[in-house]
Amino acid sequence: MKKSFPVLIMFALLTLLIPLAASALTGLGTKTPTPPASTAQSTPQAPASSQAGSTASSAPALDAEAPMLLLDAATGEVKTVAMRDFLIGSVSSEMPISYQKEAFKAQAVATHSYALASKAAQLLSPDAALKGAYLRVNPAAHEGYMSDAELRATWGDNYESNYAYVSAAVDEVLNEVLMYDGAPALATYYAISNGKTEASEAVWTTALPYLVRVDAPLDKTSPDYEVSTEMTAQQVYDALTLKFKALNLSGKPAAWFGEPTRTESGYIATIPCGGQVLRGVDVRAALGLRSADFTVTCSADNTFTFVTRGYGHGVGLSQFTANTLAVTGKTYRDILAYFYPGTTLATL
């Protein structure tokens, strides 16, 4: 337990910064409470290899069933939600109902772990903007969590069967969480990678030893893997200058972007733009792109085309690959061990 306190401090820093996840394939949610604007630099040694499967272990005393306090981003209200209801509402907003049960179980464990890590961080170092809550969600927009009312409105006549399917998956893993160094793991997730997951420090500057790069080639088989988005020069100008105040975009639009550098996973690390060198994740956020793995071209009529690969920040569990692995017979334990190497699966 001696290592848990520094780990929780790392969580406190990260959860000011990290979103729950990237948008799901169905568009039911953008998955993410907002992460820290800055974090202390931390670079623990990443494990050399992934475990073959998560190992069940005893865990320290944690109240895994205590209610979650959620800040509704739309209303500003802090809601108290039972953990089981939160998990059902969260995984339903995160994944298509067509996904395999083992994928839903993996998602439920990741969500539970993330929620407990976020709670621990807020109790240790509260973010005043959350008004005492542990996470920020937007049920009306299907982001991060959906209430029973939103689920009924979304599923309509399929509510009973869909709810039974999701709740059964959640109930099978209700008391299981991923642990690292005696504390719940900050198990982030997203819809589709670019073929490799991203290391946490590439997105949020802080390295966590279980959020490391792993291959996810199955994501390239997703019909939503590569998407082209067109924007006018004025739209790009407005979005960039709103986010980055000192940019000089006085030249021709075709010259606004320079040659990017990329991370080991292939996402854009930095890209020259308007006399500055911008982080790829910041450009992605400013332009509302699906991924930080993108190429940009500008036509003669000053129309920009951004081609993105993947959907989301790319750190942790890929929901598409999780489902594809489940189709091939992999269990939720296999899926979690692959995407979060070095963690253990504990029953609380």
Side-chain angles (χ1 to χ4, degrees), residues 7 32 52 65 98 103 114 143 147 156 165 169 188 209 233 236 247 256-257 282 292 296 301 317 322 333 339-340:
V7 169
T32 50
E65 296 183 3
S98 60
Y114 184 95
E143 295 175 1
S147 68
Y165 180 67
T188 54
V236 172
L247 285 187
W256 288 355
F257 292 98
D282 295 333
V296 54
D301 66 354
L317 180 143
R333 289 172 175 262
F339 284 109
Y340 306 110

mmCIF file of all heavy atoms in Angstrom, residues 7 32 52 65 98 103 114 143 147 156 165 169 188 209 233 236 247 256-257 282 292 296 301 317 322 333 339-340:
data_model
loop_
_atom_site.group_PDB
_atom_site.id
_atom_site.type_symbol
_atom_site.label_atom_id
_atom_site.label_comp_id
_atom_site.label_asym_id
_atom_site.label_seq_id
_atom_site.Cartn_x
_atom_site.Cartn_y
_atom_site.Cartn_z
ATOM 1 N N VAL A 7 0.465 7.098 -6.461
ATOM 2 C CA VAL A 7 -0.357 6.747 -7.628
ATOM 3 C C VAL A 7 -1.623 7.575 -7.641
ATOM 4 O O VAL A 7 -2.056 8.080 -8.680
ATOM 5 C CB VAL A 7 -0.692 5.243 -7.619
ATOM 6 C CG1 VAL A 7 -1.754 4.934 -8.657
ATOM 7 C CG2 VAL A 7 0.561 4.423 -7.917
ATOM 8 N N THR A 32 -16.405 11.611 -22.283
ATOM 9 C CA THR A 32 -15.274 12.153 -21.606
ATOM 10 C C THR A 32 -15.488 13.339 -20.716
ATOM 11 O O THR A 32 -15.761 14.407 -21.198
ATOM 12 C CB THR A 32 -14.180 12.567 -22.576
ATOM 13 O OG1 THR A 32 -14.734 13.360 -23.562
ATOM 14 C CG2 THR A 32 -13.504 11.371 -23.127
ATOM 15 N N ALA A 52 -0.714 -12.665 -20.197
ATOM 16 C CA ALA A 52 -1.578 -13.492 -21.026
ATOM 17 C C ALA A 52 -3.020 -13.336 -20.599
ATOM 18 O O ALA A 52 -3.937 -13.491 -21.381
ATOM 19 C CB ALA A 52 -1.161 -14.952 -20.930
ATOM 20 N N GLU A 65 -19.328 -0.207 -4.337
ATOM 21 C CA GLU A 65 -20.749 -0.045 -4.627
ATOM 22 C C GLU A 65 -21.289 1.310 -4.177
ATOM 23 O O GLU A 65 -22.489 1.571 -4.322
ATOM 24 C CB GLU A 65 -21.533 -1.175 -3.966
ATOM 25 C CG GLU A 65 -21.174 -2.546 -4.520
ATOM 26 C CD GLU A 65 -22.004 -3.656 -3.912
ATOM 27 O OE1 GLU A 65 -22.905 -3.340 -3.104
ATOM 28 O OE2 GLU A 65 -21.766 -4.825 -4.244
ATOM 29 N N SER A 98 -25.078 -3.733 -30.475
ATOM 30 C CA SER A 98 -24.771 -4.933 -31.268
ATOM 31 C C SER A 98 -23.475 -5.610 -30.825
ATOM 32 O O SER A 98 -23.187 -6.726 -31.266
ATOM 33 C CB SER A 98 -24.659 -4.567 -32.750
ATOM 34 O OG SER A 98 -23.622 -3.615 -32.950
ATOM 35 N N ALA A 103 -17.318 -8.007 -24.714
ATOM 36 C CA ALA A 103 -16.843 -6.639 -24.923
ATOM 37 C C ALA A 103 -17.528 -5.696 -23.940
ATOM 38 O O ALA A 103 -16.885 -4.792 -23.382
ATOM 39 C CB ALA A 103 -17.111 -6.198 -26.362
ATOM 40 N N TYR A 114 -12.058 3.241 -13.950
ATOM 41 C CA TYR A 114 -11.863 4.667 -14.219
ATOM 42 C C TYR A 114 -12.654 5.516 -13.225
ATOM 43 O O TYR A 114 -12.166 6.515 -12.705
ATOM 44 C CB TYR A 114 -12.283 4.994 -15.650
ATOM 45 C CG TYR A 114 -12.032 6.433 -16.034
ATOM 46 C CD1 TYR A 114 -10.873 6.803 -16.698
ATOM 47 C CD2 TYR A 114 -12.952 7.433 -15.706
ATOM 48 C CE1 TYR A 114 -10.636 8.130 -17.039
ATOM 49 C CE2 TYR A 114 -12.719 8.754 -16.034
ATOM 50 C CZ TYR A 114 -11.564 9.098 -16.704
ATOM 51 O OH TYR A 114 -11.327 10.413 -17.019
ATOM 52 N N GLU A 143 -23.430 11.518 -23.449
ATOM 53 C CA GLU A 143 -21.985 11.584 -23.249
ATOM 54 C C GLU A 143 -21.630 11.101 -21.847
ATOM 55 O O GLU A 143 -22.002 11.716 -20.839
ATOM 56 C CB GLU A 143 -21.481 13.019 -23.442
ATOM 57 C CG GLU A 143 -21.651 13.530 -24.858
ATOM 58 C CD GLU A 143 -21.263 14.991 -25.021
ATOM 59 O OE1 GLU A 143 -20.841 15.604 -24.019
ATOM 60 O OE2 GLU A 143 -21.392 15.521 -26.129
ATOM 61 N N SER A 147 -29.164 8.297 -18.365
ATOM 62 C CA SER A 147 -30.113 7.904 -17.332
ATOM 63 C C SER A 147 -31.112 6.913 -17.908
ATOM 64 O O SER A 147 -31.165 6.686 -19.125
ATOM 65 C CB SER A 147 -30.857 9.135 -16.813
ATOM 66 O OG SER A 147 -31.711 9.649 -17.824
ATOM 67 N N GLY A 156 -36.373 2.928 -27.331
ATOM 68 C CA GLY A 156 -37.769 2.776 -27.713
ATOM 69 C C GLY A 156 -38.309 1.386 -27.414
ATOM 70 O O GLY A 156 -38.199 0.883 -26.286
ATOM 71 N N TYR A 165 -29.917 -7.150 -21.720
ATOM 72 C CA TYR A 165 -28.623 -7.572 -22.273
ATOM 73 C C TYR A 165 -27.466 -6.854 -21.578
ATOM 74 O O TYR A 165 -26.503 -7.478 -21.108
ATOM 75 C CB TYR A 165 -28.610 -7.292 -23.764
ATOM 76 C CG TYR A 165 -27.340 -7.663 -24.485
ATOM 77 C CD1 TYR A 165 -26.952 -8.988 -24.628
ATOM 78 C CD2 TYR A 165 -26.522 -6.678 -25.053
ATOM 79 C CE1 TYR A 165 -25.789 -9.336 -25.302
ATOM 80 C CE2 TYR A 165 -25.367 -7.012 -25.728
ATOM 81 C CZ TYR A 165 -25.002 -8.341 -25.850
ATOM 82 O OH TYR A 165 -23.851 -8.674 -26.515
ATOM 83 N N ALA A 169 -24.630 -8.222 -18.519
ATOM 84 C CA ALA A 169 -23.179 -8.122 -18.670
ATOM 85 C C ALA A 169 -22.564 -7.383 -17.489
ATOM 86 O O ALA A 169 -21.544 -7.807 -16.922
ATOM 87 C CB ALA A 169 -22.836 -7.409 -19.979
ATOM 88 N N THR A 188 -8.599 4.185 -19.358
ATOM 89 C CA THR A 188 -9.225 4.981 -20.411
ATOM 90 C C THR A 188 -9.564 4.117 -21.623
ATOM 91 O O THR A 188 -9.033 3.019 -21.803
ATOM 92 C CB THR A 188 -8.298 6.127 -20.847
ATOM 93 O OG1 THR A 188 -7.032 5.586 -21.215
ATOM 94 C CG2 THR A 188 -8.101 7.118 -19.716
ATOM 95 N N PRO A 209 2.196 3.264 -16.455
ATOM 96 C CA PRO A 209 2.850 2.061 -16.983
ATOM 97 C C PRO A 209 1.920 1.040 -17.608
ATOM 98 O O PRO A 209 2.381 0.115 -18.272
ATOM 99 C CB PRO A 209 3.554 1.474 -15.748
ATOM 100 C CG PRO A 209 2.841 2.055 -14.585
ATOM 101 C CD PRO A 209 2.404 3.425 -15.009
ATOM 102 N N ALA A 233 -11.636 27.262 -45.821
ATOM 103 C CA ALA A 233 -10.515 27.973 -45.204
ATOM 104 C C ALA A 233 -11.011 28.861 -44.068
ATOM 105 O O ALA A 233 -10.340 28.984 -43.031
ATOM 106 C CB ALA A 233 -9.779 28.798 -46.256
ATOM 107 N N VAL A 236 -11.597 26.706 -40.964
ATOM 108 C CA VAL A 236 -10.335 26.326 -40.339
ATOM 109 C C VAL A 236 -9.723 27.528 -39.627
ATOM 110 O O VAL A 236 -9.246 27.428 -38.486
ATOM 111 C CB VAL A 236 -9.355 25.757 -41.384
ATOM 112 C CG1 VAL A 236 -7.973 25.533 -40.777
ATOM 113 C CG2 VAL A 236 -9.906 24.453 -41.961
ATOM 114 N N LEU A 247 -1.649 32.839 -33.534
ATOM 115 C CA LEU A 247 -1.346 32.294 -34.860
ATOM 116 C C LEU A 247 -1.305 33.387 -35.927
ATOM 117 O O LEU A 247 -2.092 34.335 -35.886
ATOM 118 C CB LEU A 247 -2.397 31.262 -35.269
ATOM 119 C CG LEU A 247 -2.374 29.873 -34.622
ATOM 120 C CD1 LEU A 247 -3.397 28.988 -35.297
ATOM 121 C CD2 LEU A 247 -0.993 29.248 -34.703
ATOM 122 N N TRP A 256 -0.622 27.108 -44.600
ATOM 123 C CA TRP A 256 -0.860 27.220 -43.160
ATOM 124 C C TRP A 256 -0.230 26.075 -42.364
ATOM 125 O O TRP A 256 0.277 26.284 -41.268
ATOM 126 C CB TRP A 256 -2.361 27.260 -42.874
ATOM 127 C CG TRP A 256 -3.013 28.545 -43.264
ATOM 128 C CD1 TRP A 256 -2.415 29.679 -43.747
ATOM 129 C CD2 TRP A 256 -4.423 28.836 -43.221
ATOM 130 N NE1 TRP A 256 -3.335 30.651 -44.009
ATOM 131 C CE2 TRP A 256 -4.582 30.169 -43.694
ATOM 132 C CE3 TRP A 256 -5.548 28.110 -42.857
ATOM 133 C CZ2 TRP A 256 -5.828 30.780 -43.783
ATOM 134 C CZ3 TRP A 256 -6.792 28.711 -42.943
ATOM 135 C CH2 TRP A 256 -6.935 30.036 -43.399
ATOM 136 N N PHE A 257 -0.277 24.867 -42.913
ATOM 137 C CA PHE A 257 0.236 23.697 -42.184
ATOM 138 C C PHE A 257 1.549 23.231 -42.792
ATOM 139 O O PHE A 257 1.707 23.189 -44.012
ATOM 140 C CB PHE A 257 -0.769 22.538 -42.232
ATOM 141 C CG PHE A 257 -2.031 22.782 -41.454
ATOM 142 C CD1 PHE A 257 -3.182 23.226 -42.104
ATOM 143 C CD2 PHE A 257 -2.070 22.576 -40.087
ATOM 144 C CE1 PHE A 257 -4.353 23.441 -41.400
ATOM 145 C CE2 PHE A 257 -3.237 22.790 -39.369
ATOM 146 C CZ PHE A 257 -4.387 23.232 -40.022
ATOM 147 N N ASP A 282 -4.050 18.942 -29.781
ATOM 148 C CA ASP A 282 -4.700 20.247 -29.653
ATOM 149 C C ASP A 282 -5.344 20.682 -30.963
ATOM 150 O O ASP A 282 -6.432 21.277 -30.969
ATOM 151 C CB ASP A 282 -3.684 21.297 -29.188
ATOM 152 C CG ASP A 282 -3.164 21.025 -27.784
ATOM 153 O OD1 ASP A 282 -3.907 20.395 -26.994
ATOM 154 O OD2 ASP A 282 -2.020 21.435 -27.478
ATOM 155 N N ALA A 292 -6.146 12.178 -33.826
ATOM 156 C CA ALA A 292 -4.929 12.961 -34.036
ATOM 157 C C ALA A 292 -4.019 12.325 -35.077
ATOM 158 O O ALA A 292 -2.946 12.850 -35.358
ATOM 159 C CB ALA A 292 -4.169 13.132 -32.717
ATOM 160 N N VAL A 296 -3.582 16.389 -43.998
ATOM 161 C CA VAL A 296 -4.327 17.580 -44.413
ATOM 162 C C VAL A 296 -3.844 18.037 -45.783
ATOM 163 O O VAL A 296 -2.642 18.085 -46.053
ATOM 164 C CB VAL A 296 -4.176 18.710 -43.376
ATOM 165 C CG1 VAL A 296 -2.715 19.015 -43.073
ATOM 166 C CG2 VAL A 296 -4.903 19.974 -43.837
ATOM 167 N N ASP A 301 -9.257 25.766 -54.591
ATOM 168 C CA ASP A 301 -10.322 26.679 -54.163
ATOM 169 C C ASP A 301 -10.326 26.881 -52.648
ATOM 170 O O ASP A 301 -11.312 27.330 -52.067
ATOM 171 C CB ASP A 301 -11.692 26.170 -54.629
ATOM 172 C CG ASP A 301 -12.087 24.857 -53.954
ATOM 173 O OD1 ASP A 301 -11.250 24.281 -53.211
ATOM 174 O OD2 ASP A 301 -13.235 24.404 -54.160
ATOM 175 N N LEU A 317 -8.161 0.996 -24.006
ATOM 176 C CA LEU A 317 -8.967 -0.010 -24.703
ATOM 177 C C LEU A 317 -9.643 0.538 -25.951
ATOM 178 O O LEU A 317 -10.339 1.550 -25.896
ATOM 179 C CB LEU A 317 -10.019 -0.582 -23.747
ATOM 180 C CG LEU A 317 -10.963 -1.648 -24.285
ATOM 181 C CD1 LEU A 317 -11.248 -2.691 -23.197
ATOM 182 C CD2 LEU A 317 -12.295 -1.027 -24.739
ATOM 183 N N ALA A 322 -11.950 -4.640 -29.031
ATOM 184 C CA ALA A 322 -12.497 -5.437 -27.925
ATOM 185 C C ALA A 322 -13.648 -6.303 -28.432
ATOM 186 O O ALA A 322 -13.735 -7.501 -28.119
ATOM 187 C CB ALA A 322 -12.973 -4.527 -26.797
ATOM 188 N N ARG A 333 -11.513 -10.957 -19.663
ATOM 189 C CA ARG A 333 -10.215 -10.992 -18.994
ATOM 190 C C ARG A 333 -9.076 -10.888 -20.018
ATOM 191 O O ARG A 333 -8.096 -10.159 -19.809
ATOM 192 C CB ARG A 333 -10.065 -12.284 -18.182
ATOM 193 C CG ARG A 333 -10.948 -12.347 -16.939
ATOM 194 C CD ARG A 333 -10.894 -13.739 -16.303
ATOM 195 N NE ARG A 333 -11.642 -13.775 -15.062
ATOM 196 C CZ ARG A 333 -11.112 -13.655 -13.856
ATOM 197 N NH1 ARG A 333 -9.806 -13.503 -13.728
ATOM 198 N NH2 ARG A 333 -11.866 -13.696 -12.778
ATOM 199 N N PHE A 339 -5.059 -4.814 -23.280
ATOM 200 C CA PHE A 339 -5.026 -3.356 -23.394
ATOM 201 C C PHE A 339 -4.469 -2.643 -22.168
ATOM 202 O O PHE A 339 -4.060 -1.484 -22.273
ATOM 203 C CB PHE A 339 -6.429 -2.823 -23.702
ATOM 204 C CG PHE A 339 -6.845 -3.027 -25.130
ATOM 205 C CD1 PHE A 339 -7.828 -3.948 -25.466
ATOM 206 C CD2 PHE A 339 -6.235 -2.322 -26.157
ATOM 207 C CE1 PHE A 339 -8.210 -4.133 -26.781
ATOM 208 C CE2 PHE A 339 -6.601 -2.505 -27.475
ATOM 209 C CZ PHE A 339 -7.587 -3.418 -27.789
ATOM 210 N N TYR A 340 -4.450 -3.307 -21.008
ATOM 211 C CA TYR A 340 -3.932 -2.682 -19.789
ATOM 212 C C TYR A 340 -2.866 -3.583 -19.170
ATOM 213 O O TYR A 340 -3.041 -4.126 -18.070
ATOM 214 C CB TYR A 340 -5.066 -2.434 -18.789
ATOM 215 C CG TYR A 340 -6.228 -1.648 -19.341
ATOM 216 C CD1 TYR A 340 -7.467 -2.257 -19.571
ATOM 217 C CD2 TYR A 340 -6.109 -0.293 -19.636
ATOM 218 C CE1 TYR A 340 -8.538 -1.536 -20.077
ATOM 219 C CE2 TYR A 340 -7.165 0.433 -20.146
ATOM 220 C CZ TYR A 340 -8.382 -0.195 -20.369
ATOM 221 O OH TYR A 340 -9.445 0.515 -20.872
#
